[in-house]
Amino acid sequence: MNPRIEEALTTLGDEVLVRKAQEDDDRAFGELVSRYETKVYSLALKMVRNPEDAEDVLQDTFLRAYRGIKSFKGNSTFSTWIYRITANSALMRLRKKQLPTVSIEDADEREAPVSIADWSPGPVDQLLNQELQQVMDEAIEALPAEFRQVFVLRDIEEISNAEVAEILDLSVAAVKSRLHRARLKVRNRLAAYFNENQKQKRAMGAQR
Amino acid sequence: MTCKEVLDALSDYLDADMKEEVVTEMRRHIGVCSDCRAEFDTLSMTIKLYKHESATSMPDGCHDRLVKILEIEKLKLKPGSTKTES
Ligand SMILES: [Zn+2]
């Protein structure tokens, strides 16, 4: 391997690397892998919620990208394209596990009583403990796959509505609607936890 | 604006993705309606909490396994080609 070529590749932009990869330059594709593998893995993990499945999604994503690189037209950026493959691969995996899908048009976002005023908006760092982290994980796991995709991309990866729409091949309006419902569902799970916490604290106080 | 309209528009409000007139109306409503304020506080807190989710790194060997799988695929797709070292 020529170290000078390796070094040169890292300085090239995604577009140039894509073009080279389309011309069968496997080292250029390798550089794209190095550049995006952690992001793809991280996105996959947040969607499928376990390391084994996340690694499967990672491998599946880059295999498909490798096979399909010549059909990539450059209408979107490479990162949008690779995220789209990742999101689809993760969704397929979740469907295999028969997670509830969005077709259940339930309206349970509003069922929780709004006795959530006690949920004091203190500093985030003070609230974040292991127990809450677990509740947060469970809240994501309870989301139907299509809601989870949008929530992870928007609120964890902090990708814009417009780009999420492109990644998931949805309208911006659909992204916003799913995001809002996902947020409310997640919020309701956390609210239930905070309320329960509060009750326990009060009960403990009354015992004394 | 009714409470239901406020609740439906909360995400857009939090994402600063709405017209200035509506923002003013939302702000006014949330200022005087404790139910909607609770909705607003908890929803914005939820979003803040998840933004703190730590970055993940790949497990040991993950990169090498990926490279190996791609290498096998390359030999399948381009049987004439040799190893990267050529
Ligand atoms: Zn209200």
Side-chain angles (χ1 to χ4, degrees):
Chain A
M1 218 179 282
N2 187 336
R4 255 196 327 201
I5 292 175
E6 291 303 300
E7 202 185 328
L9 283 175
T10 61
T11 64
L12 296 176
D14 288 0
E15 278 166 59
V16 180
L17 289 173
V18 166
R19 198 162 1 97
K20 283 176 174 291
Q22 287 174 330
E23 288 158 5
D24 285 323
D25 182 342
D26 287 319
R27 272 179 296 223
F29 188 81
E31 172 58 22
L32 287 167
V33 171
S34 312
R35 219 169 264 193
Y36 285 97
E37 62 184 351
T38 309
K39 286 178 188 161
V40 165
Y41 179 82
S42 159
L43 183 59
L45 182 63
K46 279 159 188 167
M47 285 183 182
V48 298
R49 311 305 292 182
N50 83 68
E52 293 78 30
D53 286 344
E55 184 162 347
D56 283 351
V57 170
L58 171 76
Q59 293 177 352
D60 184 47
T61 298
F62 279 108
L63 273 178
R64 289 195 212 191
Y66 186 65
R67 290 179 196 135
I69 190 76
K70 284 184 181 157
S71 65
F72 173 62
K73 297 278 185 283
N75 297 331
S76 62
T77 61
F78 181 77
S79 78
T80 298
W81 187 66
I82 200 82
Y83 282 164
R84 182 181 305 154
I85 302 175
T86 311
N88 285 333
S89 174
L91 186 63
M92 274 181 9
R93 199 151 298 263
L94 291 170
R95 284 204 180 125
K96 254 188 234 159
K97 297 201 162 182
Q98 294 187 319
L99 230 91
T101 61
V102 82
S103 59
I104 312 157
E105 287 294 325
D106 55 319
D108 69 352
E109 294 91 49
R110 272 152 234 248
E111 79 185 5
V114 198
S115 64
I116 41 187
D118 282 349
W119 181 0
S120 59
V124 169
D125 297 337
Q126 275 176 33
L127 283 170
L128 271 177
N129 56 45
Q130 229 178 342
E131 198 184 19
L132 176 58
Q133 190 60 58
Q134 201 187 327
V135 175
M136 285 168 63
D137 287 346
E138 285 165 7
I140 292 197
E141 278 153 34
L143 285 176
E146 287 84 350
F147 285 148
R148 193 191 295 185
Q149 278 190 320
V150 174
F151 186 81
V152 166
L153 288 165
R154 275 291 283 124
D155 282 344
I156 302 180
E157 298 296 314
E158 301 185 54
I159 296 171
S160 72
N161 279 326
E163 197 183 343
V164 173
E166 221 182 316
I167 291 170
L168 299 179
D169 206 12
L170 292 169
S171 67
V172 172
V175 168
K176 291 206 291 189
S177 149
R178 283 187 194 182
L179 175 67
H180 186 54
R181 292 183 60 191
R183 282 173 171 176
L184 290 175
K185 281 173 188 288
V186 167
R187 191 277 313 271
N188 290 351
R189 290 288 275 228
L190 299 194
Y193 163 75
F194 281 114
N195 285 345
E196 195 48 45
N197 230 12
Q198 207 101 32
K199 255 188 252 163
Q200 276 175 9
K201 270 187 202 152
R202 267 194 222 117
M204 263 154 57
Q207 275 173 5
R208 266 178 232 141
Chain B
M1 252 180 146
T2 65
C3 290
K4 189 186 172 299
E5 284 167 341
V6 169
L7 180 61
D8 286 345
L10 263 186
S11 274
D12 286 343
Y13 181 67
L14 285 161
D15 293 341
D17 182 12
M18 70 177 21
K19 289 197 196 108
E20 200 48 53
E21 313 92 87
V22 193
V23 171
T24 312
E25 178 66 10
M26 290 278 289
R27 201 178 290 137
R28 195 199 60 78
H29 184 119
I30 290 167
V32 296
C33 174
S34 61
D35 283 352
C36 286
R37 192 162 52 247
E39 294 278 356
F40 168 79
D41 284 343
T42 54
L43 203 60
S44 69
M45 192 50 147
T46 300
I47 296 166
K48 270 189 212 136
L49 284 169
Y50 281 94
K51 291 221 161 113
H52 275 237
E53 277 229 326
S54 49
T56 42
S57 52
M58 296 200 300
D60 282 348
C62 193
H63 170 80
D64 294 342
R65 289 190 289 276
L66 175 60
V67 168
K68 189 167 282 177
I69 278 173
L70 288 169
E71 193 68 38
I72 293 166
E73 184 68 15
K74 176 184 157 186
L75 294 174
K76 251 195 273 171
L77 289 179
K78 308 166 189 171
S81 69
T82 45
K83 289 236 159 197
T84 331
E85 254 65 31
S86 62

